[in-house]
Amino acid sequence: MRVAVTRKNVIFTPDSSRVVARYFMNGDQRTQEIVSRIMTLDEFQVIHTLEHTLREFARRHRNISRIFYRHCENIRGIIEGMQINYDGLSDERKMLIGSYCTMEYAIESAAFFNPSIIEDFDQLYLEKGEKRIILSFRATGEGHISSIVFRRGILDKNNDLQVMKMGANIDKAEIVHKSLFNKNRFVRKLEEMHTPDKYSAKILQDLPEEFEYHLLKNKISKVLDDPSISQQKRSALEEVIWLADSFYDLQFKHDSDITERVIFPISDSESRGIEDARFVRFVDDDKSEKVFATYTAYNGHVILPKLISTEDFYSFHVMPLRGEGAHNKNLAMFPRKIKGKYAMLSRIDGVNNYLMYSDRPTEWNNPICIQKPRYPWEFTQIGNGGSPLWTEEGWLVITHGVGPMRRYCLGASLFDLDDPSKEIGRLDEPLLSPREDEREGYVPNVVYSCGSIIHNNTLILPFAVSDYSSTYGTVDMVELLDALKKSK
């Protein structure tokens, strides 16, 4: 049964003017040469050159001088290795050195896609039928490196979206790495990553049951400083480091707008991008609320499923997921516990939809297969299109299916509220397919979503168009649920 989708005339497209000031490392030798040249300048020349640089770039970034100073700190070891008294350098000279370790990166220049939507915590001062929402997107720039960015808007009583004006600058967060680790959990995650323990066992066995980040990093760094170790051992120990680096907190300034906050790849596990964040507003059994998001970290070789949590969109806690079910892509958390346990959808084998329960939001085991491809438009694979939505009739899950020519369509399924392993119904036709004017883009013939909400008894369905731009559509919930209950 075909269900009607009303496409709305709101389009989010890539914007090459959205830039961040990113740390740039030119290699030890070339960096030493640059520092040597800067050291030949007298203080007047340093100030003049710095002022010219600030005049060109200060309006494009929030507190660019502080960024320069921080980037100079990153190469302090190189500077001191040149027998230069780092503490004796003027602030202006440090900032000038830092400017040569900085480059602009256009985070949204290539693609703006795979949106997710949640209700904003702030619902004050709205008219009847309105709802304030937060949209997240996968923004991709040069080199296909992806970040998470946000937009805020208001849905009116007709489900039309008014998008709020964007802030002028992008704010990169302060980063704090996790300082203390549980050794048993850390070892289990290394086993899941298939990191050879013959290289890491000796280092880890000498650590206490609760060990500090810097203790681990210092021990491994000493081994890596030996140029004679094998490449296999070096790679294994580097994996240990990037797992430890994958736990961190982000803190954005409170004078930044949400449109200015970007979650940019931080750890080595994310060096090639942060992909397809699925945000959900989670209500615990005690009625407390927070926002979770699952995403895929990619370093060019290995993917690592990770979890973000936040209560205000200023502070974000980031950690890797673990367990036999925390593999592959496509994890999406339920918005509430089921019978006292967290619940998660996954596609651990790359083909089918799975359900998992857990006492902890970071550990996932014993996946249960609940959906397999059934119709030709999903024969290649079926997966979720975001977190399940609670309705009185059951859990509504927007799915994606891949068919001939790797065309991606969106579907819909309904699952039992008390036992989501039981499928009540599934649309036999796609809910949404790429129209002729939606087929061209970064990846042709794709419509894709990472999360929806229900507003005014209507499904609000943001979706990406061929991995290039994003828009949204609406679906009448009465019509959709009726079709799902009538389907086999």
Side-chain angles (χ1 to χ4, degrees):
M1 177 179 175
R2 176 69 69 173
V3 176
V5 178
T6 302
R7 286 168 163 84
K8 294 290 187 174
N9 191 29
V10 173
I11 301 175
F12 300 89
T13 56
D15 183 354
S16 59
S17 70
R18 304 277 287 171
V19 295
V20 294
R22 184 183 180 190
Y23 176 61
F24 173 68
M25 177 54 173
N26 217 340
D28 288 6
Q29 181 61 39
R30 292 189 67 180
T31 300
Q32 289 175 14
E33 293 171 357
I34 293 170
V35 172
S36 295
R37 295 180 186 120
I38 295 173
M39 293 304 295
T40 66
L41 302 177
D42 62 35
E43 208 62 28
F44 175 81
Q45 291 172 309
V46 165
I47 293 172
H48 176 75
T49 308
L50 177 63
E51 285 184 348
H52 177 77
T53 304
L54 292 175
R55 187 163 56 246
E56 290 291 320
F57 290 96
R59 62 185 171 79
R60 294 169 64 87
H61 302 278
R62 183 189 295 269
N63 205 341
I64 189 69
S65 59
R66 187 164 179 266
I67 294 172
F68 290 163
Y69 197 89
R70 187 168 65 243
H71 289 176
C72 183
E73 278 286 329
N74 290 349
I75 63 165
R76 178 173 185 149
I78 292 176
I79 296 171
E80 291 180 335
M82 298 170 63
Q83 307 305 310
I84 296 172
N85 179 10
Y86 186 86
D87 293 329
L89 299 176
S90 67
D91 286 346
E92 290 79 9
R93 196 175 297 266
K94 289 177 181 177
M95 285 187 281
L96 183 60
I97 292 172
S99 72
Y100 285 87
C101 298
T102 306
M103 64 175 288
E104 285 192 331
Y105 181 81
I107 60 171
E108 303 174 7
S109 60
F112 200 77
F113 60 125
N114 293 2
S116 177
I117 186 173
I118 63 166
E119 299 177 7
D120 198 337
F121 287 120
D122 177 14
Q123 296 295 328
L124 295 174
Y125 312 121
L126 296 175
E127 295 184 7
K128 185 177 180 180
E130 291 185 334
K131 180 170 289 184
R132 191 173 285 113
I133 56 90
I134 294 173
L135 285 155
S136 70
F137 298 88
R138 176 179 170 184
T140 300
E142 176 191 358
H144 199 71
I145 298 176
S146 301
S147 310
I148 301 172
V149 298
F150 303 101
R151 300 290 186 268
R152 179 176 268 131
I154 295 175
L155 288 163
D156 67 15
K157 61 182 180 182
N158 299 315
N159 300 314
D160 290 320
L161 177 63
Q162 178 188 359
V163 182
M164 300 295 101
K165 185 177 179 180
M166 291 188 297
N169 299 116
I170 292 177
D171 184 31
K172 290 182 68 177
E174 294 292 331
I175 305 156
V176 180
H177 285 285
K178 181 176 179 178
S179 59
L180 198 64
F181 293 90
N182 178 283
K183 184 162 70 174
N184 289 334
R185 293 175 190 161
F186 195 85
V187 169
R188 286 203 301 271
K189 187 60 190 179
L190 287 173
E191 290 171 350
E192 293 165 13
M193 292 162 48
H194 305 292
T195 302
D197 61 0
K198 64 180 180 179
Y199 301 122
S200 58
K202 179 64 172 68
I203 290 174
L204 291 169
Q205 75 181 20
D206 293 337
L207 295 173
E209 290 306 307
E210 299 283 337
F211 64 86
E212 293 184 346
Y213 168 84
H214 291 291
L215 180 60
L216 172 68
K217 193 155 189 175
N218 289 340
K219 280 182 172 290
I220 292 180
S221 295
K222 288 178 181 178
V223 180
L224 293 177
D225 286 341
D226 180 0
S228 66
I229 67 171
S230 68
Q231 184 57 47
Q232 291 87 350
K233 185 173 184 178
R234 183 175 296 277
S235 296
L237 294 180
E238 285 175 348
E239 282 191 5
V240 176
I241 287 293
W242 75 247
L243 175 60
D245 283 339
S246 295
F247 297 82
Y248 58 86
D249 292 338
L250 299 174
Q251 180 63 55
F252 290 94
K253 299 179 184 66
H254 279 262
D255 62 353
S256 67
D257 184 71
I258 193 169
T259 62
E260 298 178 309
R261 299 170 216 153
V262 54
I263 300 179
F264 195 74
I266 300 298
S267 67
D268 287 343
S269 64
E270 305 165 345
S271 59
R272 301 306 300 170
I274 293 174
E275 301 181 357
D276 303 343
R278 287 160 160 79
F279 280 82
V280 61
R281 186 165 164 177
F282 182 85
V283 182
D284 212 334
D285 290 342
D286 62 2
K287 305 304 179 185
S288 63
E289 294 188 55
K290 67 171 57 176
V291 171
F292 285 118
T294 52
Y295 73 88
T296 303
Y298 182 55
N299 71 349
H301 305 285
V302 180
I303 64 171
L304 181 66
K306 298 185 76 171
L307 182 73
I308 300 173
S309 67
T310 183
E311 297 178 6
D312 55 12
F313 282 87
Y314 290 105
S315 300
F316 294 83
H317 187 45
V318 183
M319 65 216 94
L321 297 173
R322 61 181 180 272
E324 63 184 87
H327 295 289
N328 218 303
K329 303 181 179 182
N330 234 227
L331 286 90
M333 187 177 286
F334 281 68
R336 61 180 70 176
K337 290 179 180 177
I338 298 174
K339 298 180 179 178
K341 291 185 178 291
Y342 295 96
M344 180 86 81
L345 294 179
S346 177
R347 199 190 65 217
I348 63 171
D349 59 7
V351 178
N352 307 300
N353 245 337
Y354 287 79
L355 171 69
M356 301 177 287
Y357 296 105
S358 179
D359 294 320
R360 303 168 60 92
T362 55
E363 186 165 4
W364 298 95
N365 294 294
N366 305 314
I368 306 163
C369 185
I370 60 171
Q371 270 189 322
K372 295 182 178 181
R374 181 185 299 165
Y375 304 112
W377 57 274
E378 60 185 18
F379 273 178
T380 300
Q381 70 190 50
I382 184 172
N384 69 73
S387 292
L389 301 171
W390 185 93
T391 76
E392 291 183 351
E393 304 293 341
W395 291 107
L396 173 63
V397 176
I398 301 303
T399 63
H400 69 263
V402 182
M405 296 293 292
R406 288 200 62 80
R407 185 180 76 152
Y408 278 70
C409 299
L410 295 178
S413 300
L414 194 65
F415 293 88
D416 186 86
L417 285 176
D418 295 322
D419 183 3
S421 66
K422 296 179 180 178
E423 186 180 39
I424 297 172
R426 186 194 313 190
L427 298 184
D428 58 3
E429 295 185 35
L431 179 65
L432 194 74
S433 303
R435 294 190 313 195
E436 191 62 31
D437 61 347
E438 296 170 338
R439 295 182 59 186
E440 315 301 336
Y442 198 70
V443 180
N445 306 307
V446 173
V447 290
Y448 197 86
S449 180
C450 286
S452 312
I453 62 170
I454 297 171
H455 174 56
N456 293 331
N457 207 26
T458 302
L459 176 69
I460 310 299
L461 177 59
F463 64 94
V465 176
S466 293
D467 282 10
Y468 173 72
S469 61
S470 297
T471 183
Y472 82 104
T474 60
V475 183
D476 181 78
M477 283 297 297
V478 174
E479 181 184 358
L480 177 57
L481 291 173
D482 183 58
L484 285 167
K485 286 185 293 184
K486 289 179 179 177
S487 66
K488 295 182 180 178

